[in-house]
CSV table of all heavy atoms in Angstrom, one decimal:
chain,number,residue,atom,x,y,z
Z,1258,PHE,N,17.8,-119.4,-12.9
Z,1258,PHE,CA,17.5,-119.7,-14.3
Z,1258,PHE,C,16.9,-121.1,-14.4
Z,1258,PHE,O,17.0,-121.9,-13.5
Z,1258,PHE,CB,18.7,-119.5,-15.2
Z,1258,PHE,CG,19.8,-120.5,-15.0
Z,1258,PHE,CD1,19.9,-121.7,-15.7
Z,1258,PHE,CD2,20.7,-120.3,-13.9
Z,1258,PHE,CE1,20.9,-122.6,-15.5
Z,1258,PHE,CE2,21.7,-121.2,-13.7
Z,1258,PHE,CZ,21.8,-122.4,-14.4
Z,1259,LEU,N,16.3,-121.4,-15.6
Z,1259,LEU,CA,15.9,-122.8,-15.9
Z,1259,LEU,C,16.5,-123.2,-17.2
Z,1259,LEU,O,16.6,-122.4,-18.1
Z,1259,LEU,CB,14.3,-122.8,-16.0
Z,1259,LEU,CG,13.5,-122.4,-14.8
Z,1259,LEU,CD1,12.1,-122.2,-15.1
Z,1259,LEU,CD2,13.7,-123.4,-13.7
Z,1260,GLN,N,16.8,-124.5,-17.3
Z,1260,GLN,CA,17.3,-125.0,-18.6
Z,1260,GLN,C,16.5,-126.2,-19.0
Z,1260,GLN,O,16.2,-127.0,-18.2
Z,1260,GLN,CB,18.8,-125.3,-18.4
Z,1260,GLN,CG,19.5,-125.7,-19.7
Z,1260,GLN,CD,21.0,-125.7,-19.6
Z,1260,GLN,OE1,21.5,-125.1,-18.7
Z,1260,GLN,NE2,21.6,-126.3,-20.6
Z,1284,ASN,N,21.8,-105.7,-20.6
Z,1284,ASN,CA,21.8,-106.7,-21.6
Z,1284,ASN,C,21.6,-108.1,-21.0
Z,1284,ASN,O,22.5,-108.8,-20.8
Z,1284,ASN,CB,23.1,-106.7,-22.4
Z,1284,ASN,CG,23.1,-107.6,-23.6
Z,1284,ASN,OD1,22.0,-107.9,-24.1
Z,1284,ASN,ND2,24.3,-108.1,-24.0
Z,1285,THR,N,20.3,-108.3,-20.6
Z,1285,THR,CA,20.0,-109.6,-20.0
Z,1285,THR,C,19.1,-110.4,-20.9
Z,1285,THR,O,18.3,-109.8,-21.7
Z,1285,THR,CB,19.3,-109.4,-18.7
Z,1285,THR,OG1,18.1,-108.6,-18.9
Z,1285,THR,CG2,20.1,-108.6,-17.7
Z,1286,LYS,N,19.2,-111.7,-20.9
Z,1286,LYS,CA,18.4,-112.6,-21.7
Z,1286,LYS,C,17.2,-113.1,-20.9
Z,1286,LYS,O,17.3,-113.6,-19.9
Z,1286,LYS,CB,19.2,-113.8,-22.2
Z,1286,LYS,CG,20.5,-113.4,-22.9
Z,1286,LYS,CD,20.2,-112.7,-24.2
Z,1286,LYS,CE,21.5,-112.6,-25.1
Z,1286,LYS,NZ,22.0,-111.3,-25.1
Z,1287,ILE,N,16.0,-112.8,-21.5
Z,1287,ILE,CA,14.8,-113.4,-20.9
Z,1287,ILE,C,14.8,-114.9,-21.2
Z,1287,ILE,O,14.5,-115.7,-20.3
Z,1287,ILE,CB,13.6,-112.7,-21.4
Z,1287,ILE,CG1,13.6,-111.2,-21.0
Z,1287,ILE,CG2,12.3,-113.4,-20.9
Z,1287,ILE,CD1,12.5,-110.3,-21.5
Z,1288,TRP,N,15.2,-115.3,-22.4
Z,1288,TRP,CA,15.4,-116.6,-22.8
Z,1288,TRP,C,16.4,-116.7,-23.9
Z,1288,TRP,O,16.6,-115.7,-24.6
Z,1288,TRP,CB,14.2,-117.4,-23.1
Z,1288,TRP,CG,13.4,-117.0,-24.3
Z,1288,TRP,CD1,12.3,-116.1,-24.3
Z,1288,TRP,CD2,13.7,-117.3,-25.7
Z,1288,TRP,NE1,11.9,-115.9,-25.6
Z,1288,TRP,CE2,12.7,-116.7,-26.4
Z,1288,TRP,CE3,14.6,-118.2,-26.3
Z,1288,TRP,CZ2,12.7,-116.8,-27.8
Z,1288,TRP,CZ3,14.6,-118.3,-27.7
Z,1288,TRP,CH2,13.6,-117.6,-28.4
Z,1289,GLN,N,17.1,-117.8,-24.1
Z,1289,GLN,CA,18.1,-117.9,-25.1
Z,1289,GLN,C,18.3,-119.4,-25.4
Z,1289,GLN,O,18.3,-120.2,-24.5
Z,1289,GLN,CB,19.4,-117.3,-24.7
Z,1289,GLN,CG,20.4,-117.2,-25.8
Z,1289,GLN,CD,21.6,-116.4,-25.5
Z,1289,GLN,OE1,21.9,-116.0,-24.3
Z,1289,GLN,NE2,22.4,-116.0,-26.5
Z,1290,ALA,N,18.6,-119.7,-26.7
Z,1290,ALA,CA,19.0,-121.0,-27.0
Z,1290,ALA,C,20.3,-121.4,-26.4
Z,1290,ALA,O,21.3,-120.5,-26.5
Z,1290,ALA,CB,19.1,-121.2,-28.5
Z,1291,THR,N,20.5,-122.5,-25.8
Z,1291,THR,CA,21.7,-122.9,-25.2
Z,1291,THR,C,22.8,-123.4,-26.2
Z,1291,THR,O,24.0,-123.3,-26.0
Z,1291,THR,CB,21.6,-124.0,-24.1
Z,1291,THR,OG1,20.9,-125.1,-24.7
Z,1291,THR,CG2,20.8,-123.4,-23.0
Z,1292,ASP,N,22.3,-123.9,-27.3
Z,1292,ASP,CA,23.2,-124.4,-28.3
Z,1292,ASP,C,23.5,-123.4,-29.4
Z,1292,ASP,O,24.3,-123.7,-30.3
Z,1292,ASP,CB,22.6,-125.7,-29.0
Z,1292,ASP,CG,21.3,-125.5,-29.7
Z,1292,ASP,OD1,20.6,-124.5,-29.3
Z,1292,ASP,OD2,21.0,-126.2,-30.6
Z,1293,ASN,N,22.8,-122.3,-29.4
Z,1293,ASN,CA,23.0,-121.3,-30.5
Z,1293,ASN,C,22.7,-120.0,-29.9
Z,1293,ASN,O,21.5,-119.6,-29.9
Z,1293,ASN,CB,22.2,-121.6,-31.7
Z,1293,ASN,CG,22.5,-120.6,-32.8
Z,1293,ASN,OD1,23.0,-119.5,-32.6
Z,1293,ASN,ND2,22.2,-121.0,-34.0
Z,1294,SER,N,23.7,-119.3,-29.3
Z,1294,SER,CA,23.4,-118.1,-28.5
Z,1294,SER,C,22.8,-116.9,-29.4
Z,1294,SER,O,22.5,-115.9,-28.8
Z,1294,SER,CB,24.6,-117.6,-27.8
Z,1294,SER,OG,25.6,-117.2,-28.8
Z,1295,SER,N,22.6,-117.1,-30.7
Z,1295,SER,CA,22.0,-116.0,-31.5
Z,1295,SER,C,20.5,-116.2,-31.6
Z,1295,SER,O,19.9,-115.4,-32.3
Z,1295,SER,CB,22.7,-116.0,-32.9
Z,1295,SER,OG,22.4,-117.2,-33.6
Z,1296,VAL,N,19.9,-117.1,-31.0
Z,1296,VAL,CA,18.4,-117.2,-30.9
Z,1296,VAL,C,18.0,-116.8,-29.5
Z,1296,VAL,O,18.3,-117.5,-28.6
Z,1296,VAL,CB,17.9,-118.7,-31.3
Z,1296,VAL,CG1,16.4,-118.7,-31.3
Z,1296,VAL,CG2,18.5,-119.1,-32.6
Z,1297,PHE,N,17.3,-115.7,-29.4
Z,1297,PHE,CA,17.0,-115.2,-28.1
Z,1297,PHE,C,15.9,-114.1,-28.0
Z,1297,PHE,O,15.5,-113.6,-29.1
Z,1297,PHE,CB,18.3,-114.6,-27.4
Z,1297,PHE,CG,18.9,-113.5,-28.2
Z,1297,PHE,CD1,18.4,-112.2,-28.1
Z,1297,PHE,CD2,20.0,-113.7,-28.9
Z,1297,PHE,CE1,19.0,-111.1,-28.8
Z,1297,PHE,CE2,20.6,-112.6,-29.6
Z,1297,PHE,CZ,20.1,-111.4,-29.6
Z,1298,LEU,N,15.5,-113.8,-26.8
Z,1298,LEU,CA,14.7,-112.6,-26.5
Z,1298,LEU,C,15.6,-112.0,-25.4
Z,1298,LEU,O,15.9,-112.6,-24.4
Z,1298,LEU,CB,13.3,-112.9,-26.0
Z,1298,LEU,CG,12.6,-111.8,-25.3
Z,1298,LEU,CD1,12.4,-110.6,-26.2
Z,1298,LEU,CD2,11.3,-112.2,-24.7
Z,1299,THR,N,16.0,-110.7,-25.6
Z,1299,THR,CA,16.8,-110.0,-24.7
Z,1299,THR,C,16.2,-108.7,-24.3
Z,1299,THR,O,15.3,-108.2,-25.0
Z,1299,THR,CB,18.3,-109.8,-25.2
Z,1299,THR,OG1,19.1,-109.3,-24.2
Z,1299,THR,CG2,18.3,-108.8,-26.4
Z,1355,SER,N,17.4,-125.9,-28.0
Z,1355,SER,CA,17.4,-126.1,-26.5
Z,1355,SER,C,17.2,-124.7,-25.9
Z,1355,SER,O,17.3,-123.7,-26.6
Z,1355,SER,CB,18.8,-126.7,-26.1
Z,1355,SER,OG,19.8,-125.8,-26.4
Z,1356,LEU,N,16.9,-124.7,-24.7
Z,1356,LEU,CA,16.4,-123.4,-24.1
Z,1356,LEU,C,16.9,-123.2,-22.7
Z,1356,LEU,O,17.0,-124.1,-21.9
Z,1356,LEU,CB,14.9,-123.4,-24.1
Z,1356,LEU,CG,14.1,-122.2,-23.7
Z,1356,LEU,CD1,14.4,-121.1,-24.7
Z,1356,LEU,CD2,12.6,-122.5,-23.6
Z,1357,ILE,N,17.4,-121.9,-22.4
Z,1357,ILE,CA,17.7,-121.5,-21.1
Z,1357,ILE,C,16.8,-120.3,-20.8
Z,1357,ILE,O,16.7,-119.4,-21.6
Z,1357,ILE,CB,19.2,-121.3,-20.9
Z,1357,ILE,CG1,19.5,-121.2,-19.4
Z,1357,ILE,CG2,19.7,-120.1,-21.7
Z,1357,ILE,CD1,21.0,-121.3,-19.1
Z,1358,ILE,N,16.1,-120.3,-19.7
Z,1358,ILE,CA,15.2,-119.2,-19.4
Z,1358,ILE,C,15.8,-118.4,-18.2
Z,1358,ILE,O,16.1,-119.0,-17.1
Z,1358,ILE,CB,13.8,-119.7,-19.0
Z,1358,ILE,CG1,13.3,-120.6,-20.1
Z,1358,ILE,CG2,12.9,-118.6,-18.6
Z,1358,ILE,CD1,12.0,-121.4,-19.8
Z,1359,GLY,N,16.0,-117.1,-18.3
Z,1359,GLY,CA,16.5,-116.3,-17.2
Z,1359,GLY,C,18.0,-116.0,-17.2
Z,1359,GLY,O,18.4,-115.4,-16.3
Z,1360,ARG,N,18.7,-116.5,-18.3
Z,1360,ARG,CA,20.1,-116.3,-18.3
Z,1360,ARG,C,20.6,-116.4,-19.7
Z,1360,ARG,O,20.1,-117.1,-20.5
Z,1360,ARG,CB,20.9,-117.3,-17.4
Z,1360,ARG,CG,22.3,-117.0,-17.2
Z,1360,ARG,CD,23.1,-118.1,-16.6
Z,1360,ARG,NE,23.4,-119.0,-17.7
Z,1360,ARG,CZ,23.9,-120.2,-17.4
Z,1360,ARG,NH1,24.0,-120.7,-16.2
Z,1360,ARG,NH2,24.1,-121.0,-18.5
Z,1361,ARG,N,21.7,-115.8,-20.0
Z,1361,ARG,CA,22.4,-115.9,-21.3
Z,1361,ARG,C,22.8,-117.4,-21.5
Z,1361,ARG,O,23.3,-118.0,-20.6
Z,1361,ARG,CB,23.6,-115.0,-21.4
Z,1361,ARG,CG,24.2,-115.0,-22.7
Z,1361,ARG,CD,25.3,-113.9,-22.8
Z,1361,ARG,NE,25.9,-114.0,-24.1
Z,1361,ARG,CZ,26.5,-113.0,-24.7
Z,1361,ARG,NH1,26.5,-111.8,-24.1
Z,1361,ARG,NH2,27.0,-113.1,-25.9
Z,1362,GLY,N,22.6,-117.9,-22.7
Z,1362,GLY,CA,22.8,-119.3,-22.9
Z,1362,GLY,C,24.2,-119.8,-23.0
Z,1362,GLY,O,24.5,-121.0,-22.7
Z,1363,ASN,N,25.1,-118.9,-23.3
Z,1363,ASN,CA,26.5,-119.4,-23.4
Z,1363,ASN,C,27.3,-119.4,-22.1
Z,1363,ASN,O,28.5,-119.5,-22.1
Z,1363,ASN,CB,27.3,-118.6,-24.5
Z,1363,ASN,CG,27.5,-117.2,-24.1
Z,1363,ASN,OD1,27.1,-116.7,-23.0
Z,1363,ASN,ND2,28.1,-116.4,-25.0
Z,1364,GLY,N,26.6,-119.2,-21.0
Z,1364,GLY,CA,27.2,-119.2,-19.7
Z,1364,GLY,C,27.7,-117.9,-19.1
Z,1364,GLY,O,28.1,-117.8,-18.0
Z,1365,ALA,N,27.6,-116.8,-19.9
Z,1365,ALA,CA,28.0,-115.5,-19.4
Z,1365,ALA,C,27.0,-115.2,-18.3
Z,1365,ALA,O,25.8,-115.5,-18.4
Z,1365,ALA,CB,27.9,-114.5,-20.6
Z,1366,LEU,N,27.4,-114.5,-17.4
Z,1366,LEU,CA,26.6,-114.2,-16.2
Z,1366,LEU,C,25.7,-112.9,-16.5
Z,1366,LEU,O,25.9,-111.9,-15.9
Z,1366,LEU,CB,27.4,-114.0,-15.0
Z,1366,LEU,CG,28.2,-115.3,-14.6
Z,1366,LEU,CD1,29.0,-115.0,-13.3
Z,1366,LEU,CD2,27.3,-116.5,-14.4
Z,1367,GLN,N,24.8,-113.1,-17.4
Z,1367,GLN,CA,23.8,-112.0,-17.7
Z,1367,GLN,C,22.4,-112.6,-17.3
Z,1367,GLN,O,21.8,-113.3,-18.1
Z,1367,GLN,CB,23.8,-111.6,-19.1
Z,1367,GLN,CG,25.1,-110.9,-19.4
Z,1367,GLN,CD,25.3,-110.6,-20.9
Z,1367,GLN,OE1,24.7,-111.3,-21.8
Z,1367,GLN,NE2,26.0,-109.6,-21.2
Z,1368,PHE,N,22.0,-112.4,-16.1
Z,1368,PHE,CA,20.7,-113.0,-15.6
Z,1368,PHE,C,19.6,-112.0,-15.7
Z,1368,PHE,O,19.7,-110.8,-15.6
Z,1368,PHE,CB,20.9,-113.4,-14.1
Z,1368,PHE,CG,21.8,-114.5,-13.9
Z,1368,PHE,CD1,23.2,-114.3,-13.7
Z,1368,PHE,CD2,21.4,-115.8,-13.9
Z,1368,PHE,CE1,24.1,-115.4,-13.5
Z,1368,PHE,CE2,22.2,-116.9,-13.7
Z,1368,PHE,CZ,23.6,-116.7,-13.5
Z,1369,TYR,N,18.4,-112.6,-15.9
Z,1369,TYR,CA,17.2,-111.8,-16.1
Z,1369,TYR,C,16.6,-111.4,-14.7
Z,1369,TYR,O,16.6,-112.3,-13.8
Z,1369,TYR,CB,16.1,-112.6,-16.8
Z,1369,TYR,CG,14.8,-112.0,-16.9
Z,1369,TYR,CD1,14.5,-110.8,-17.5
Z,1369,TYR,CD2,13.7,-112.7,-16.3
Z,1369,TYR,CE1,13.3,-110.3,-17.6
Z,1369,TYR,CE2,12.4,-112.1,-16.3
Z,1369,TYR,CZ,12.2,-110.9,-17.0
Z,1369,TYR,OH,11.0,-110.4,-17.0
Side-chain angles (χ1 to χ4, degrees):
F1258 65 96
L1259 299 169
Q1260 189 165 341
N1284 186 24
T1285 60
K1286 302 297 188 253
I1287 296 173
W1288 65 264
Q1289 184 169 18
T1291 55
D1292 62 333
N1293 185 338
S1294 62
S1295 62
V1296 181
F1297 59 78
L1298 167 61
T1299 191
S1355 61
L1356 187 65
I1357 193 162
I1358 304 168
R1360 190 191 81 191
R1361 187 172 176 155
N1363 67 2
L1366 299 179
Q1367 294 174 334
F1368 291 90
Y1369 172 65

